[in-house]
Amino acid sequence: MSRKPAKPPVALKARTGAAKTVSASKAALVAAKPVEVVGQTIERALDPLASALKRAALKRADKFSRAFDNPDKAAKADPAKVDKAAMPVSPLAVPFPRMTPVRGVTMATARAGFYKHDREDLLVMAFPEGASCAGVFTRHGVGSAPVDWCKRHLEASKGEGVKALVVNAGCANSFTGRPGADAVRRVASAVGKRFDCRQRDVMVASTGVIGVLLDDARITARLPEAEQRLTEDGWGAAARAIMTTDTFPKGAYAEADIDGTTVRIAGICKGSGMIAPDMATMLAFVATDAAISPGALQALCNLYTRNTFNAVTVDGDRSTNDTLLLFATGQSGAPKISRAGDRRLADFRDKLEGVLMDLAHQLVRDGEGATKFIKITVTGAETAASARKIARSVADSPLVKTAFAGEDANWGRIVMAVGKADEPVDRDSMSVKFGPHWAAQDGLIAASYDEAKMSAYMKNAELEVTVDVGVGRASSTVWTCDLTKRYVEINGDYRS
């Protein structure tokens, strides 16, 4: 389908720095009759039944939302329940990195009002003509409307020509049926009109409470403001805008060499609970100014997801909204690469994997109520898949995780979790080690076992457990955190 030549949108003017504001007449026109408002008016006129259904669905959603989002009632019981920003920062938190702007990427945040307290909860990102996009999404059986939208349109466009990304926090728009899909379409249509692109060139992501319909008017009403605030240097604000129960913003940055040219890779993510990605509520957005074809970008995305985002777990629960989107603007001046295996991408591949790993680890560090960052490695397995399943069994076990919370080196629980994975193991050859200390060897408590040394080790904030199951040579590593009383408090109060 051919596209008419596009006139330079306001967004591109902001991106080049040529103009921070529009003319007075243009501003008056935007204020008086935004294009998305016109589009919605026409839509309502043409389809009154659809409008009526939307209003009814929103009314039900508002009623449902008020049942658990009464700020006055919550404030009397616990002010922190209203002001999510008041949640104590995880003791495992890491500082937000210094991130140099990625050429061709601009972003802005705004307050759409999905939260009762004062915080920005909307992120808009813009990309130049010719940008590539790749994505990996949840394989959850109840995927969200934004996930369905991105998957369908990335497949249709083959990852070419993506111009914008819109993300909201506070409403997952999952399990919302046709009205939820219509809300996503209206958001993409409004953004497309403002950025002079097709609606399929707009990616959409949401995070928050499942089962509540997205009020898209809250987003479209803020688009003029967001468009005027687009900036190249807004990664920190972007990371904060997409937070839900997160206690700190998460970002990662690296520079790589492609055929003598330096390219930049920057990414943000959100997630704290409901974290056990199977991608393919975790969202991650990574951008580079390298010139990489959509096919190669998708191959890299698939390759490095497995041992990064898919190798972490907080509570063993997968989200309906898990999304990783990777954008390449091609603005660095480096030569365009069409194959993921191209030798010129060697350094880029390493740095990209490092950025994804950094972001994935930060999810675990911000696990709801977490006090321990734990690396679990299984060796001696028959296959890598078997080792991975055993490691996940240990990492997801509530008994194992609560033992870590109590600083108890209960290796018996480790052995229990290994056995319940129903994978080949040799009981009489199995060994368990906490850091440098042996707990068990050859199917028995280790002769060198020292309770005092083990107890001292367990007081560390970062721990390692290695299990050899004695049947082969394959290995796998999973990162997790402990399970504390705070996790129960956070999730017990999540909707109250």
Side-chain angles (χ1 to χ4, degrees):
M1 176 178 175
S2 61
R3 293 169 55 189
K4 64 180 181 180
K7 61 182 180 180
V10 177
L12 293 180
K13 293 180 182 178
R15 183 158 45 245
T16 58
K20 289 289 182 180
T21 59
V22 293
S23 66
S25 60
K26 176 81 172 182
L29 179 60
V30 169
K33 188 176 287 186
V35 291
E36 63 269 16
V37 173
V38 175
Q40 290 173 5
T41 302
I42 294 173
E43 183 179 75
R44 285 195 296 269
L46 293 176
D47 194 351
L49 177 59
S51 296
L53 289 173
K54 179 195 172 187
R55 287 194 299 271
L58 281 173
K59 186 175 181 180
R60 291 194 302 271
D62 287 341
K63 181 179 179 181
F64 175 60
S65 180
R66 284 195 298 271
F68 61 82
D69 199 2
N70 185 328
D72 295 330
K73 179 180 177 181
K76 293 177 183 177
D78 183 356
K81 293 178 184 176
V82 179
D83 185 4
K84 298 294 184 183
M87 291 178 64
V89 176
S90 168
L92 305 172
V94 295
F96 194 83
R98 179 179 177 81
M99 297 170 69
T100 303
V102 173
R103 287 158 288 206
V105 179
T106 56
M107 64 204 78
T109 60
R111 184 186 179 193
F114 291 105
Y115 290 92
K116 297 295 183 183
H117 56 288
D118 187 9
R119 59 155 289 182
E120 294 188 329
D121 52 10
L122 178 65
L123 166 64
V124 177
M125 297 181 73
F127 308 98
E129 291 287 347
S132 300
C133 180
V136 188
F137 306 92
T138 184
R139 293 187 292 190
H140 196 286
V142 188
S144 68
V147 166
D148 291 345
W149 175 272
C150 291
K151 289 171 66 175
R152 182 168 69 253
H153 290 292
L154 274 182
E155 182 177 355
S157 68
K158 306 300 181 184
E160 297 179 344
V162 170
K163 292 294 297 295
L165 166 69
V166 182
V167 188
N168 75 274
C171 175
N173 196 21
S174 177
F175 203 64
T176 50
R178 178 61 182 271
D182 289 342
V184 170
R185 175 179 53 79
R186 285 189 291 268
V187 169
S189 177
V191 174
K193 289 171 184 175
R194 296 207 69 87
F195 285 66
D196 201 14
C197 66
R198 298 166 297 184
Q199 63 182 27
R200 79 174 195 181
D201 297 331
V202 179
M203 296 291 101
V204 180
S206 299
T207 180
V209 177
I210 296 170
V212 178
L213 177 65
L214 180 72
D215 184 354
D216 53 280
R218 294 187 178 190
I219 295 177
T220 56
R222 293 298 181 185
L223 290 179
E225 173 190 347
E227 187 178 28
Q228 296 306 312
R229 294 172 62 181
L230 287 170
T231 176
E232 294 182 338
D233 192 14
W235 287 104
R240 288 188 292 273
I242 64 175
M243 291 167 56
T244 51
T245 58
D246 305 60
T247 68
F248 66 91
K250 302 167 183 65
Y253 177 83
E255 294 184 354
D257 179 272
I258 297 181
D259 203 29
T261 299
T262 299
V263 301
R264 300 165 182 168
I265 309 169
I268 57 174
C269 73
K270 64 80 49 187
S272 184
M274 202 184 292
I275 298 296
D278 185 13
M279 303 195 330
T281 242
M282 184 222 79
L283 301 179
F285 310 107
V286 180
T288 178
D289 48 19
I292 302 176
S293 70
L297 204 64
Q298 186 64 58
L300 294 173
C301 201
N302 294 342
L303 177 64
Y304 294 124
T305 297
R306 180 174 180 80
N307 292 323
T308 58
F309 288 112
N310 281 2
V312 298
T313 177
V314 168
D315 47 22
D317 285 332
R318 287 186 283 154
S319 171
T320 59
N321 292 52
D322 286 342
T323 297
L324 164 62
L325 290 172
L326 177 58
F327 303 90
T329 68
Q331 301 292 297
S332 66
K336 186 166 185 176
I337 307 296
S338 299
R339 294 185 306 104
D342 192 308
R343 59 179 180 79
R344 292 173 294 177
L345 276 185
D347 187 46
F348 179 87
R349 288 193 295 265
D350 288 343
K351 298 298 175 54
L352 175 62
E353 183 178 23
V355 166
L356 298 184
M357 185 71 81
D358 189 352
L359 292 174
H361 284 183
Q362 290 184 53
L363 296 176
V364 174
R365 290 181 176 278
D366 202 18
E368 291 170 340
T371 64
K372 305 287 186 183
F373 179 76
I374 307 157
K375 178 181 179 181
I376 297 175
T377 301
V378 171
T379 63
E382 275 194 351
T383 65
S386 179
R388 181 183 180 83
K389 186 177 178 182
I390 295 169
R392 286 297 291 263
S393 180
V394 174
D396 285 336
S397 168
L399 286 175
V400 171
K401 293 164 75 69
T402 50
F404 280 116
E407 300 183 341
D408 177 13
N410 192 332
W411 57 270
R413 292 185 179 181
I414 302 289
V415 172
M416 173 279 299
V418 169
K420 75 182 180 74
D422 293 328
E423 289 294 317
V425 299
D426 184 342
R427 182 193 63 188
D428 296 331
S429 298
M430 194 182 303
S431 66
V432 180
K433 187 165 62 171
F434 289 74
H437 309 294
W438 289 103
Q441 289 179 292
D442 298 325
L444 298 168
I445 185 171
S448 60
Y449 182 83
D450 188 315
E451 183 70 30
K453 290 182 179 179
M454 198 69 79
S455 295
Y457 176 75
M458 294 300 291
K459 294 186 182 301
N460 292 325
E462 299 191 13
L463 304 169
E464 292 189 26
V465 175
T466 304
V467 182
D468 192 295
V469 296
V471 294
R473 296 184 176 181
S475 64
S476 183
T477 298
V478 171
W479 289 266
T480 190
C481 59
D482 54 346
L483 181 61
T484 68
K485 295 177 182 178
R486 181 62 179 152
Y487 178 89
V488 178
E489 293 170 357
I490 292 171
N491 285 281
D493 292 339
Y494 187 66
R495 299 200 315 166
S496 57

